[in-house]
Amino acid sequence: MHLAYPAVLAVLLFCTGLYGVLARRNAILVLMSVELMLNAVNLNLVAFDVWLRDTLHAGQALTLFTIAIAAAEIGIGLAIVLLVHRNRGTADIDKLRDLADPPPAGSPALDDSMAVPTDNDADQARRARRQTA
């Protein structure tokens, strides 16, 4: 068997996965695209292991490690996506840019003057303490 056949298939799989990572907005589809990319790497590892006739079968051993890492990545990734979907109500990556929780409904939004105290606020607080003492 020629090495070109699995290599071309691996390139097609990897490019499909790369397109999925770059173009998709759903977190689950992005995870599936990452899996396609890892499967392309696995295909290359096994194909080169067979082509080089390695007696230790290092390519196949590395493929087993890659499969184990991919399984752990999918387990943790899906758990995170489900938790985010439960809390935010969406798995859209564009809407999940902020790590902070959204403000509760009906509460006023914080503006810059409320978020960061200025030196004037600290001076006013010191003056108020001196006057009361």
Side-chain angles (χ1 to χ4, degrees):
M1 178 171 82
H2 295 287
L3 184 62
Y5 298 136
V8 168
L9 181 61
V11 166
L12 290 175
L13 276 175
F14 192 85
C15 288
T16 304
L18 186 63
Y19 172 75
V21 167
L22 295 176
R24 299 293 176 186
R25 297 295 172 229
N26 190 346
I28 295 175
L29 292 177
V30 170
L31 286 174
M32 289 173 58
S33 299
V34 169
E35 287 298 318
L36 272 177
M37 293 166 66
L38 287 173
N39 285 333
V41 170
N42 287 340
L43 182 61
N44 270 333
L45 285 171
V46 171
F48 276 97
D49 183 51
V50 169
W51 185 62
L52 294 174
R53 294 187 177 98
D54 186 17
T55 56
L56 294 175
H57 299 292
Q60 294 177 18
L62 284 174
T63 299
L64 289 176
F65 284 118
T66 308
I67 290 170
I69 289 171
E73 177 252 335
I74 280 296
I76 293 172
L78 280 177
I80 291 171
V81 168
L82 287 175
L83 184 67
V84 166
H85 186 272
R86 186 178 300 152
N87 288 337
R88 298 283 179 97
T90 183
D92 189 10
I93 294 175
D94 288 337
K95 294 179 183 174
L96 301 176
R97 298 270 182 197
D98 292 334
L99 293 177
D101 289 332
S107 67
L110 291 177
D111 59 350
D112 291 335
S113 65
M114 293 175 62
V116 179
T118 60
D119 290 334
N120 293 336
D121 294 336
D123 291 339
Q124 289 174 357
R126 275 191 229 117
R127 283 190 209 122
R129 275 188 245 128
R130 285 182 197 153
Q131 290 176 355
T132 57

